[in-house]
């Protein structure tokens, strides 16, 4: 996904702020900043820096240099970034950039929002095999009718007997992880099952895990 934005140096403008939608946990996103020198001066070594970014956004490069920017010309500063699963969803966030040149600094803010997951997914626990604690993670997509979905995460033994209910609550779309401690249980194969009610349908997934003491 590429976001293209034009920054105009030396010209102060108030423009309507666009909020850019970024896919959940997406890789290789790109912000392309077109920097226009609208002055009568030629600029050398213009730096565009990402100076305020959420910790769940990982930039490939936080500083881009434009070696020369003559009067009435444009230069391009490109930033590539990934969005981690822990990102805040459906909340307006601000990315701030600083442009430096000719001993002057300008700043530009970009508004983004991270879209919710587009699928229901149960991940393999980690570590596996484990002793006695393991982490289970999963994705909850947007509910068709409500802000939340009813989520149940249950542990069973290999014979299908219920061992423990880990999650039984309403949850908003997003990435979740929880630890399970099996210190009081015997070694062997266990099954963890998650179900989510979305509208009139219930989705379910299950995986196996091995406790080795």
């Amino acid at each position: 996904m590429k976001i293209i934005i034009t920054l105009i140096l030396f010209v102060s403008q108030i423009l309507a702020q666009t909020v850019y939608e970024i896919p959940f946990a997406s890789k290789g996103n790109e912000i392309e900043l077109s920097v226009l020198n609208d002055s009568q001066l030629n600029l050398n070594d213009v730096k565009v820096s990402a100076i305020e970014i959420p910790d769940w956004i990982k930039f490939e490069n936080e500083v881009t240099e434009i070696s020369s920017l003559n009067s009435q010309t444009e230069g391009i500063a490109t930033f590539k970034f990934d969005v981690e699963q822990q990102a805040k969803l459906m909340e307006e966030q601000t990315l701030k950039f600083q442009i430096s040149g000719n001993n002057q600094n300008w700043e530009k803010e970009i508004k983004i929002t991270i879209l919710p997951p587009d699928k229901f997914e149960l991940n393999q626990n980690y570590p596996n095999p484990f002793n006695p604690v393991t982490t289970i993670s999963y994705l909850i997509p947007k509910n068709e009718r409500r802000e939340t979905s009813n989520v149940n995460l249950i542990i069973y033994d290999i014979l299908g007997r219920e061992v423990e209910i880990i999650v039984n609550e309403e949850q908003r779309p997003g990435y979740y992880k929880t630890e399970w401690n099996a210190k009081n249980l015997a070694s062997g194969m266990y099954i963890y099952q998650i179900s989510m009610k979305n509208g009139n349908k219930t989705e379910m997934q299950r995986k196996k895990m091995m406790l080795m003491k």
Side-chain angles (χ1 to χ4, degrees), residues 78-107:
T78 301
F79 294 84
K80 293 183 179 181
F81 67 96
D82 299 335
V83 177
E84 296 189 340
Q85 291 183 318
Q86 295 84 355
K88 295 181 179 179
L89 304 182
M90 298 180 293
E91 294 184 16
E92 189 175 295
Q93 303 288 323
T94 299
L95 305 183
K96 184 177 290 187
F97 296 86
Q98 183 180 77
I99 305 95
S100 303
N102 200 28
N103 296 318
Q104 298 185 65
N105 295 316
W106 304 266
E107 291 186 358

Side-chain angles (χ1 to χ4, degrees), residues 74-180:
E74 293 185 12
I76 301 298
T78 301
F79 294 84
K80 293 183 179 181
F81 67 96
D82 299 335
V83 177
E84 296 189 340
Q85 291 183 318
Q86 295 84 355
K88 295 181 179 179
L89 304 182
M90 298 180 293
E91 294 184 16
E92 189 175 295
Q93 303 288 323
T94 299
L95 305 183
K96 184 177 290 187
F97 296 86
Q98 183 180 77
I99 305 95
S100 303
N102 200 28
N103 296 318
Q104 298 185 65
N105 295 316
W106 304 266
E107 291 186 358
K108 172 67 178 181
E109 291 185 353
I110 298 172
K111 301 294 184 180
I112 66 169
T113 185
I114 308 300
L115 298 175
D118 58 6
K119 62 181 179 180
F120 175 55
E121 184 174 358
L122 177 64
N123 299 318
Q124 187 63 55
N125 65 299
Y126 181 83
N128 187 45
F130 65 100
N131 177 29
V133 177
T134 191
T135 298
I136 300 171
S137 62
Y138 53 93
L139 300 178
I140 300 299
K142 185 177 181 179
N143 194 309
E144 297 173 357
R145 299 185 178 183
R146 305 166 54 209
E147 291 186 358
T148 62
S149 299
N150 182 260
V151 179
N152 289 276
L153 177 60
I154 304 175
I155 310 295
Y156 297 92
D157 65 18
I158 197 63
L159 299 177
R161 295 174 297 197
E162 184 179 298
V163 173
E164 187 174 349
I165 298 175
I166 304 298
V167 177
N168 180 20
E169 63 185 23
E170 295 287 326
Q171 293 185 332
R172 296 174 61 85
Y175 168 78
Y176 293 86
K177 63 179 181 180
T178 183
E179 286 190 346
W180 183 52

Side-chain angles (χ1 to χ4, degrees), residues 13-31:
Q13 302 186 74
I14 299 178
L15 303 174
Q17 178 68 69
T18 299
V19 179
Y20 297 91
E21 294 183 339
I22 310 298
F24 172 80
S26 52
K27 307 292 184 182
N29 299 291
E30 192 171 296
I31 296 176

Side-chain angles (χ1 to χ4, degrees), residues 11-77:
V11 178
S12 177
Q13 302 186 74
I14 299 178
L15 303 174
Q17 178 68 69
T18 299
V19 179
Y20 297 91
E21 294 183 339
I22 310 298
F24 172 80
S26 52
K27 307 292 184 182
N29 299 291
E30 192 171 296
I31 296 176
E32 190 174 275
L33 303 178
S34 178
V35 184
L36 172 63
N37 180 3
D38 198 32
S39 74
Q40 301 303 313
L41 300 175
N42 295 331
L43 298 177
N44 294 314
D45 300 324
V46 175
K47 291 184 179 181
V48 184
S49 308
I51 57 173
E52 288 187 19
I53 54 177
D55 58 7
W56 39 261
I57 287 183
K58 302 302 179 185
F59 274 89
E60 184 177 297
N61 56 303
E62 295 188 9
V63 179
T64 296
E65 293 190 11
I66 303 173
S67 58
S68 62
L69 193 59
N70 294 333
S71 173
Q72 305 302 317
T73 61
E74 293 185 12
I76 301 298

